[in-house]
Amino acid sequence: MNPRDLIPVAAVLAAAATLPLFVTANTVLNFAVFTLIVALAAQGWNILAGFGGQFSFGHAAFFGTGAYATSLLQARFGVNAWAAFAAGIALGATVGRVIGTLSFRAGLRGSYFALVTLAFAEVFRILANAWDFTGGAAGILTRLDARPANMQFADRGSFYWLALAFVGGALLLTAWINASRFGARLVALRENEDAARALGVDTLATKLHAITLSAGVTAAAGGLYAQYFLFLDANIAYGTWISVEALLAPIIGGLGTVWGPVIGAVALHSLGEAAKLGAGAIPGIDLVLFGVLLILAVAFAPRGLIGLLRGLGLRR
């Protein structure tokens, strides 16, 4: 990867890091932190689907595993939050590896793979909702102890910087993938898996590496969510909402690009909040807007906002 490729990432992160210095409103910082968490999950989904072409409808399985592991290890066993968070990432990556091994060794691809991931996420949701160890339907609370040693902070700005650091790490990871041989193998799989295999690409190993990385990044988003909100239940951790948002953001922003998931997450949530403010108390207005944006993106901007902006630049 060319070091000059890191300059835009560093510049944007440096600019974004100044937000808490000028904005102290909790509503704005809550919005920013939540958007970063969704952007991180979307970066995970983009590694597998955007670069590798393996579309998943069940990334909630990885998000929820990271979130529950982070919370349960603290609440049930007294594990330090940072260690619990790291364990949640590792466990989420392991779950991704297991699901990938079962699916890819069976030759599942396309809609079959997408439905299998959705089924795993739903099974995890049902189990978490019924198991007393996870708190069942009542959910689980993480004890409030606002110290950096507990991965909790007295002000929201500090957690914003933490979430921004993880999004920056995910950007660097996807930038490396975009410029690496591994990324080239993923793109070859996306374009034509049979042709890639004929050219000597180890398709199984490449897909397993991709889903492991994808699951780990998404599990990190789940762990951040658990530490920020300090409450989880099965419908939050393994709910379809995160699977939908994780795939919508890259599609809206630009599938298979470094910045697409971040741009898509910011655009989706900005428009969603604006719709809520403009439409008042109409329930689900943001979800309606998400659906409309997805239809418009597929119909008129199949390469997302990034592709649309590049097209306008070329025309000029």
Side-chain angles (χ1 to χ4, degrees):
M1 181 170 60
N2 193 321
R4 278 184 287 184
D5 296 337
L6 303 181
I7 294 176
V9 176
V12 172
L13 292 178
T18 63
L19 177 65
L21 302 178
F22 301 102
V23 177
T24 58
N26 288 337
T27 52
V28 176
L29 292 175
N30 283 335
F31 166 80
V33 171
F34 184 71
T35 301
L36 288 174
I37 290 172
V38 171
L40 185 59
Q43 284 283 14
W45 188 88
N46 190 47
I47 292 172
L48 181 64
F51 288 99
Q54 311 301 313
F55 280 69
S56 163
F57 290 166
H59 258 53
F62 315 133
F63 181 91
T65 298
Y68 264 117
T70 302
S71 293
L72 290 172
L73 286 173
Q74 295 177 77
R76 305 298 189 202
F77 303 105
V79 176
N80 175 265
W82 292 98
F85 177 68
I89 295 174
L91 186 58
T94 302
V95 169
R97 187 83 177 191
V98 170
I99 293 176
T101 300
L102 294 174
S103 302
F104 296 140
R105 284 191 182 277
L108 299 181
R109 64 172 80 173
S111 58
Y112 297 102
F113 172 72
L115 291 174
V116 163
T117 58
L118 177 62
F120 270 105
E122 186 64 12
V123 168
F124 288 169
R125 187 191 67 80
I126 293 170
L127 290 175
N129 196 55
W131 195 11
D132 291 337
F133 182 73
T134 61
I140 186 170
L141 284 168
T142 301
R143 184 170 64 93
L144 176 62
D145 187 1
R147 292 182 298 155
N150 292 324
M151 204 177 169
Q152 297 179 29
F153 305 94
D155 60 296
R156 288 172 172 79
S158 297
F159 203 97
Y160 168 83
W161 284 322
L162 177 64
L164 183 65
F166 276 94
V167 171
L171 283 169
L172 293 177
L173 175 62
T174 50
W176 170 80
I177 290 173
N178 192 48
S180 67
R181 292 184 178 182
F182 173 65
R185 291 195 294 269
L186 280 177
V187 172
L189 284 175
R190 181 186 69 196
E191 298 302 322
N192 192 318
E193 184 172 339
D194 295 328
R197 187 183 297 109
L199 290 172
V201 175
D202 188 339
T203 57
L204 177 60
T206 301
K207 288 191 288 187
L208 288 177
H209 293 333
I211 196 172
T212 303
L213 280 175
S214 175
V217 173
T218 307
L224 289 175
Y225 184 99
Q227 280 303 112
Y228 188 71
F229 293 100
L230 302 177
F231 172 76
L232 283 178
D233 64 18
N235 291 323
I236 293 174
Y238 291 117
T240 55
W241 71 274
I242 187 60
S243 294
V244 171
E245 293 203 23
L247 68 89
L248 269 181
I251 292 174
I252 298 296
L255 199 59
T257 63
V258 174
W259 289 98
V262 176
I263 293 174
V266 172
L268 282 174
H269 284 276
S270 298
L271 291 173
E273 290 301 314
K276 289 178 184 178
L277 291 174
I282 300 176
I285 186 64
D286 55 332
L287 299 179
V288 173
L289 180 62
F290 288 176
V292 171
L293 285 175
L294 178 60
I295 294 171
L296 291 175
V298 172
F300 300 106
R303 295 184 180 180
L305 293 175
I306 289 180
L308 187 62
L309 292 174
R310 285 175 178 171
L312 292 174
L314 288 175
R315 288 175 187 173
R316 289 179 180 176

